[in-house]
Amino acid sequence: MAQRRIFQWFFTVIIFTSGIALSIYTYQGVRKSDEAKMLAELQQETYEQSVRASLLFTRAPQILNSFAALFIVSDFVSQQEFKKFSSYLIKNEHEISAIMWTPYVVAGERKKYEATLMNEMGYDHGFIDIQYPDRHQIESPLRSFYFPIMYVEPREQGANLLGIDLNGRPLNHSLRMAAMNSGLVFTTPVFSELTDPHGSSMIAIYHPVHIPHPKSSKNSGKFLGFLVMLMTPEVLM
C-alpha cells in the first residue's frame, strides 16, 4: 500500500512538473512570437517612414523648382495664381504643411507691398515682427530690405503668418543671407511655430529664387525672394 502511494505521489509530481515545463515553454514561445511580430511591425514602419522621407526629399526640390520657374517667367504672380499652382503641386503631399512666398522687398517698395497685404489680401496690418519669448506682434521697424510672408498655401495652415518679416527674425539669419548670395537651398533645424508657443514643431526648406544671369550661368542673377516649404519633423524620424 505504501509503495502504491509513493508511486501515485511520484506520478503526480511528474505530471505537475511536466505541466509547469509545458506552460513555461508555451509562454516563451508566445512571447518570442509576440516579440518577433513587434519587431517585424517596427521594421516595416521604419522602412515605410524611410521611403516616405526619401520620396519627399526627392519631390521637394522638384516642387520648389516648379514654383521658382513660375516666379522667374512671370512679371507678377497673384495670390490666386499661387493658390491654384499650389493646389496642383502639394494637394496630396501630406508631409508638407505649407509653402510660402517671401519676396525680397527693398525699403522703397515697402508701402506698395503693405498696401497689397491690406487692400488685396484684406489684412489690417503691414509688415510685422514677432517679439520673443511672448511672441508679441509689433510693426516692423525700418530696414534696408525685408522678407515679408506674402503668400501661404494652404491658406488655413498659415494665415496668421502673413506679413511677418523673416528678415527681422534672428533665427537662421546667417543661413538666409548665405543662401541669398549663393543661390543654394538650405534646410533649417527644428523650430517652434512662429506665432504660437504651443504650436507644432517645424522644419523649413529655403529655396532662393534668382532670375538667371543673362551672360553667365555661374553667377546668380537678380534675387527675387525665397520660397519656403514647411514640414513637420516627423518626416525625418
Side-chain angles (χ1 to χ4, degrees):
M1 180 68 68
Q3 188 176 13
R4 183 178 180 183
R5 287 180 179 177
I6 290 173
F7 279 124
Q8 288 177 340
W9 179 84
F10 184 69
F11 186 66
T12 302
V13 169
I14 291 176
I15 293 176
F16 179 74
T17 304
S18 299
I20 292 176
L22 181 61
S23 297
I24 293 173
Y25 177 78
T26 302
Y27 169 74
Q28 290 178 338
V30 170
R31 187 177 68 176
K32 288 181 179 179
S33 176
D34 289 342
E35 289 176 349
K37 183 178 179 181
M38 290 174 61
L39 179 60
E41 291 175 350
L42 179 61
Q43 289 174 335
Q44 180 65 23
E45 182 179 347
T46 302
Y47 171 74
E48 292 175 355
Q49 185 69 15
S50 66
V51 169
R52 286 198 299 270
S54 176
L55 289 175
L56 177 63
F57 282 98
T58 299
R59 292 194 303 271
Q62 297 172 345
I63 293 171
L64 288 166
N65 284 332
S66 297
F67 273 101
L70 174 67
F71 282 93
I72 289 170
V73 301
S74 305
D75 293 329
F76 174 76
V77 177
S78 69
Q79 190 272 334
Q80 286 301 318
E81 289 173 325
F82 188 82
K83 180 178 181 179
K84 186 175 182 180
F85 203 69
S86 300
S87 69
Y88 295 139
L89 291 181
I90 66 172
K91 181 178 180 180
N92 297 315
E93 303 290 346
H94 303 296
E95 294 87 355
I96 299 174
S97 298
I99 188 157
M100 310 187 301
W101 170 240
T102 65
Y104 173 69
V105 178
V106 297
E109 297 175 315
R110 175 172 176 169
K111 289 184 179 180
K112 179 181 73 173
Y113 279 87
E114 287 185 320
T116 299
L117 276 172
M118 292 186 280
N119 299 332
E120 298 181 23
M121 312 275 295
Y123 275 73
D124 59 356
H125 60 74
F127 295 174
I128 56 177
D129 282 12
I130 305 296
Q131 285 190 327
Y132 296 91
D134 60 355
R135 286 174 166 77
H136 180 64
Q137 296 186 4
I138 62 169
E139 181 181 357
S140 297
L142 295 177
R143 295 189 174 103
S144 59
F145 65 90
Y146 309 85
F147 290 131
I149 299 174
M150 294 295 293
Y151 301 154
V152 180
E153 290 297 333
R155 185 72 175 271
E156 60 272 13
Q157 292 291 93
N160 61 328
L161 303 178
L162 289 172
I164 294 176
D165 177 23
L166 295 181
N167 197 33
R169 182 172 165 81
L171 187 65
N172 301 316
H173 181 268
S174 60
L175 293 175
R176 284 193 295 271
M177 294 303 98
M180 171 182 168
N181 294 320
S182 68
L184 298 177
V185 176
F186 75 90
T187 302
T188 69
V190 176
F191 61 92
S192 59
E193 205 270 350
L194 293 178
T195 60
D196 183 2
H198 306 293
S200 301
S201 296
M202 296 283 177
I203 60 173
I205 300 176
Y206 277 75
H207 184 104
V209 180
H210 288 84
I211 294 178
H213 197 284
K215 296 182 179 180
S216 174
S217 60
K218 295 181 180 180
N219 297 322
S220 299
K222 180 182 177 182
F223 177 60
L224 300 181
F226 284 110
L227 287 160
V228 184
M229 181 180 287
L230 298 180
M231 296 179 292
T232 55
E234 284 77 12
V235 72
L236 301 177
M237 300 177 181

